[in-house]
C-alpha cells in the first residue's frame, strides 16, 4: 500500500485508504504549512522521478560515511607484519588471518580500531585495500519515515508478455463462469433422462451467453432477460483477471492509468474473441445467436470489469481521483453510495415478499412434477434471477415500478398483470395496490438518499487532514493529539450532493436496463422496469434528499474540539 507521512509522534496515520490520503494532500496543497524535514530534503534526480508514482510515495535520503583506506604498505611489508609490529600467523589467510591480526593489534587490517575509528585519517580508499572495506549507512534517528533499501542479490522480477497474460487470465475467467452453468444444466438433463454431454454443453453455453445479455432466439421467440447473478459471477472473474494481468506485466502499484486501460482493452478483446467463438458454436442448433452482437457484449463486459480490477491493482485510482475536482470526486462517491443503499432496500423488500409467499412458492415448485432434479433446477433458475428481482423491487419502491408483460404494470398504486409463468420468484408479487402503507414504502428511498448525504458530511468532517506537514486522522482524535476535525465548506457539501443525484440515477438506470428484456413473443416481450423513468426519479429524489441529509449533518453535528 502507498506509504503516507507519519504523525509527529512517529505512529502511522490514518486507516490506509489511498483515496483519503490523496484527498488530504489536495486539501493541504492550497495552504502553506511549515517546512518539514521531508520538505528540506535535496531534490531527487529528475530522470528517476515518476510523476504518477511520486503522488503517493516518498523516500528518505540516507547519508554514507566514506570508505576508510588501508595503510599504504607494499606486499613485502604487509606479509612480514611491518608497519604495526605484528606478524600474522602463518598458514592463515582471508577472514581467519584478519581476525588474528585484529586480536593481536586491537585494530582491523585496514587500520581501524575497535570503535571503528581511522587513526591515520588516510581518506578514501583507492580500491587496493582489504576486502573488509564496506560502506557504512547511517540513518538519522530523528527521521522515522519508512526507508526502503534495495536488497542485494535479489533476482530481477520476470514480466510476462501482455498478450500471453491476458489470454491465459481471460480464458481462465471464462471457464470458471461457464463450468457451473454447464454442470447444473447437465446434471438436471441427466437425471431427467435427457442426458448427453453434447446437449448439456450446448445448453450451458446458451445460458452462459444469456448471462452476458446476448439474446437467444428459440422456437417461442427471443430470450433476452439476463440472469444478473450469473452476470455478477462473470464480472467478478473478469475483475480478478484484470488484477492478475496487471501483476503479471509488472504494473502493480505503478499508479499508471495508461497501464490499467491497456490491460482492460486487451482483456476485453480476448473476451470478445471467446464470445464470438461461443456464439458460432451455439448458433444454428435450435438456437439463433448474432455473433457480432455477442462479441460486442463480451467486449464491454471484459473492458468494464477488468478495468476495475486493474485500477485496484495498479493503484491508478488514486492518481485519477486526485486529478478530479473535489466536488466531483465526492459527488461520484456519494451517488454510488446512494444507489447501493436503494438497491439494498430493494433486496430487503424482495426477500421479505418471497418469505411471506413461501407457501405459494412451494406449491409452484411441486406443480411441475419433475422430480428432485427438476425442482432443484427451477430453484436455481429463480436464484439466478434473484438479482433482477432486487432491481425490480428498487424500482417499485421508487415509484415507476416494472412490467411483467405487455400492457402490465406493478406499482405502488397499480397492479395489472395477466397470466404469469409459474416461477417461485413471482410468489412475492403484491396482491394489489398499496394503501396507506404505500406512502411509507415511498419514504424508504428518501431515507436512503438522506443517509447518503449525511455520510458525505460525516466523511468530510472526519477525513484525513494535513497538520504541520503530517497526515493525521480525524476519526480518532485521541490518537492524533486531539486535532480538531475541519469544518467542510457549505459550497463543497451542497455541490457534492447535487452531483450525487445524476450519478445515482445513471447507476440505477443502467442496472434497470440490464435487468429487463423479452421472454419470447406475444405479451411476454416486455419485462422489467423502464430505464429512463427509474433514472429520472432516482436523480430527483437523491439530489433533493442528499442535500437535506448533508446540510443537516453539517449544521447540527458539533466538531471535535481540543
Amino acid at each position: 500500500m502507498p506509504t503516507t507521512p507519519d504523525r509527529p509522534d512517529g505512529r502511522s496515520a490514518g486507516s490506509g485508504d489511498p483515496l483519503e490520503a490523496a484527498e488530504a494532500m489536495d486539501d493541504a496543497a492550497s495552504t502553506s504549512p511549515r517546512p518539514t524535514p521531508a520538505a528540506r530534503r535535496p531534490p531527487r534526480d529528475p530522470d528517476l522521478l515518476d510523476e504518477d508514482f511520486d503522488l503517493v510515495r516518498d523516500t528518505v535520503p540516507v547519508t554514507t560515511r566514506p570508505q576508510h583506506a588501508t595503510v599504504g604498505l607494499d606486499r613485502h611489508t604487509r606479509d612480514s607484519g611491518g608497519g604495526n609490529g605484528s606478524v600474522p600467523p602463518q598458514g592463515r589467510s582471508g577472514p581467519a588471518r584478519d581476525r588474528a591480526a585484529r586480536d593481536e593489534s586491537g585494530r582491523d587490517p585496514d587500520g581501524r580500531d575497535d570503535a571503528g575509528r581511522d587513526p591515520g585519517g588516510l581518506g578514501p580508499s583507492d580500491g587496493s585495500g582489504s576486502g573488509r572495506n564496506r560502506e557504512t549507512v547511517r540513518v538519522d534517528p530523528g527521521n522515522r519515515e519508512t526507508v526502503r533499501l534495495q536488497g542485494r542479490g535479489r533476482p530481477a522480477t520476470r514480466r510476462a508478455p501482455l498478450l500471453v497474460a491476458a489470454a491465459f487470465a481471460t480464458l481462465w475467467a471464462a471457464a470458471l463462469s461457464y463450468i457451473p452453468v454447464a454442470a447444473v444444466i447437465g446434471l438436471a438433463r441427466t437425471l431427467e433422462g435427457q442426458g448427453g454431454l453434447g446437449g448439456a454443453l450446448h445448453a450451458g453455453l446458451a445460458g452462459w451467453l444469456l448471462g452476458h445479455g446476448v439474446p437467444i432466439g428459440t422456437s417461442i421467440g427471443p430470450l433476452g432477460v439476463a440472469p444478473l447473478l450469473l452476470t455478477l459471477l462473470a464480472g467478478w472473474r473478469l475483475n480478478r483477471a484484470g488484477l492478475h494481468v496487471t501483476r503479471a506485466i509488472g504494473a502493480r502499484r505503478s499508479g499508471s492509468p495508461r497501464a490499467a486501460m491497456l490491460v482492460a482493452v486487451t482483456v476485453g478483446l480476448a473476451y470478445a474473441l471467446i464470445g464470438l467463438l461461443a456464439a458460432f458454436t451455439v448458433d444454428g442448433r435450435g438456437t439463433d445467436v448474432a455473433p457480432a452482437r455477442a462479441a460486442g457484449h463480451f467486449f464491454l463486459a471484459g473492458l468494464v470489469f477488468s478495468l476495475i480490477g486493474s485500477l485496484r491493482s495498479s493503484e491508478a485510482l488514486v492518481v485519477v481521483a486526485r486529478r478530479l475536482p473535489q466536488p466531483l470526486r465526492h459527488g461520484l462517491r456519494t451517488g454510488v453510495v446512494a444507489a447501493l443503499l436503494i438497491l439494498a432496500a430493494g433486496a430487503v423488500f424482495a426477500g421479505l415478499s418471497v418469505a411471506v409467499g413461501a407457501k405459494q412458492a412451494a406449491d409452484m415448485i411441486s406443480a411441475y412434477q419433475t422430480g428432485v432434479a427438476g425442482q432443484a433446477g427451477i430453484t436455481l433458475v429463480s436464484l439466478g434471477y434473484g438479482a433482477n428481482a432486487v432491481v425490480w423491487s428498487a424500482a417499485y419502491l421508487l415509484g415507476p415500478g416494472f412490467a411483467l408483460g405487455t400492457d402490465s404494470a406493478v406499482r405502488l398504486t397499480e397492479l395489472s398483470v395477466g397470466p404469469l409463468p409459474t416461477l417461485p420468484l413471482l410468489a412475492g408479487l403484491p396482491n394489489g395496490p398499496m394503501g396507506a402503507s404505500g406512502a411509507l414504502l415511498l419514504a424508504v428511498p428518501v431515507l436512503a438518499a438522506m443517509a447518503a448525504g449525511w455520510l458525505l458530511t460525516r466523511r468530510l468532517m472526519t477525513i484525513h487532514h494535513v497538520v504541520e506537514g503530517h497526515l493525521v486522522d480525524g476519526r480518532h482524535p485521541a490518537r492524533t493529539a486531539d486535532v480538531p476535525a475541519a469544518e467542510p465548506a457549505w459550497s463543497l457539501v451542497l455541490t457534492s450532493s447535487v452531483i450525487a443525484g445524476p450519478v445515482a440515477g445513471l447507476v440505477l438506470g443502467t442496472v434497470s436496463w440490464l435487468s429487463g428484456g423479452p421472454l419470447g413473443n406475444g405479451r411476454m416481450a416486455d419485462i422489467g422496469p423502464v430505464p429512463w423513468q427509474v433514472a429520472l426519479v432516482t436523480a430527483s429524489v437523491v439530489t433533493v434528499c442528499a442535500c437535506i441529509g448533508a446540510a443537516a449533518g453539517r449544521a447540527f453535528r458539533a466538531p471535535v474540539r481540543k
Side-chain angles (χ1 to χ4, degrees), residues 441-542:
L441 292 178
L442 286 175
V444 173
V446 171
L447 294 177
M450 293 179 65
W454 178 78
L455 289 174
L456 166 66
T457 304
R458 177 179 176 83
R459 182 173 174 276
L460 289 176
M461 298 183 70
T462 59
I463 201 172
H464 295 83
H465 302 287
V466 176
V467 178
E468 297 182 355
H470 294 274
L471 191 65
V472 297
D473 185 7
R475 290 187 180 90
H476 310 289
R479 303 180 188 176
T480 57
D482 293 331
V483 176
E487 294 283 352
W490 278 104
S491 59
L492 177 60
V493 171
L494 296 180
T495 305
S496 301
S497 302
V498 171
I499 294 176
V503 173
L506 181 62
V507 172
L508 285 180
T510 301
V511 296
S512 298
W513 172 67
L514 293 175
S515 67
L519 279 179
N521 294 321
R523 62 175 306 274
M524 298 303 293
D526 185 14
I527 303 293
V530 181
W532 70 266
Q533 293 181 359
V534 175
L536 182 61
V537 173
T538 302
S540 303
V541 171
V542 173

Side-chain angles (χ1 to χ4, degrees), residues 58 78 173 202 412 434 450:
D58 197 3
R78 284 187 283 110
H202 178 270
L412 288 171
M434 291 290 182
M450 293 179 65

Side-chain angles (χ1 to χ4, degrees), residues 227-252:
L228 290 186
L229 189 62
L230 178 56
T231 305
L232 292 176
L233 173 62
W236 171 56
R237 294 315 311 170
L238 288 170
N239 181 6
R240 300 297 299 176
L243 188 145
H244 292 316
V245 173
T246 305
R247 291 178 178 175
I249 66 173
R252 183 184 182 187

Side-chain angles (χ1 to χ4, degrees), residues 92 151 197 262 313 327 334 367 416 449 489 502 543:
R92 299 184 185 178
L197 182 60
L262 182 61
S313 179
T334 305
S416 58
T543 299

Side-chain angles (χ1 to χ4, degrees), residues 146-218:
T146 302
V147 179
R148 176 167 297 185
L149 301 178
Q150 181 67 30
R152 295 183 179 178
R154 180 179 298 175
T157 303
R158 294 184 179 180
R159 299 183 179 181
L162 176 60
L163 294 179
V164 175
F168 180 81
T170 307
L171 187 62
W172 181 248
L176 289 182
S177 59
Y178 163 69
I179 289 176
V181 181
V184 170
I185 294 179
L187 179 61
R189 289 171 61 92
T190 301
L191 294 178
E192 291 300 320
Q194 302 177 2
L197 182 60
L201 294 177
H202 178 270
L205 200 58
W208 187 60
L209 289 171
L210 183 61
H212 290 79
V214 181
I216 307 295
T218 63

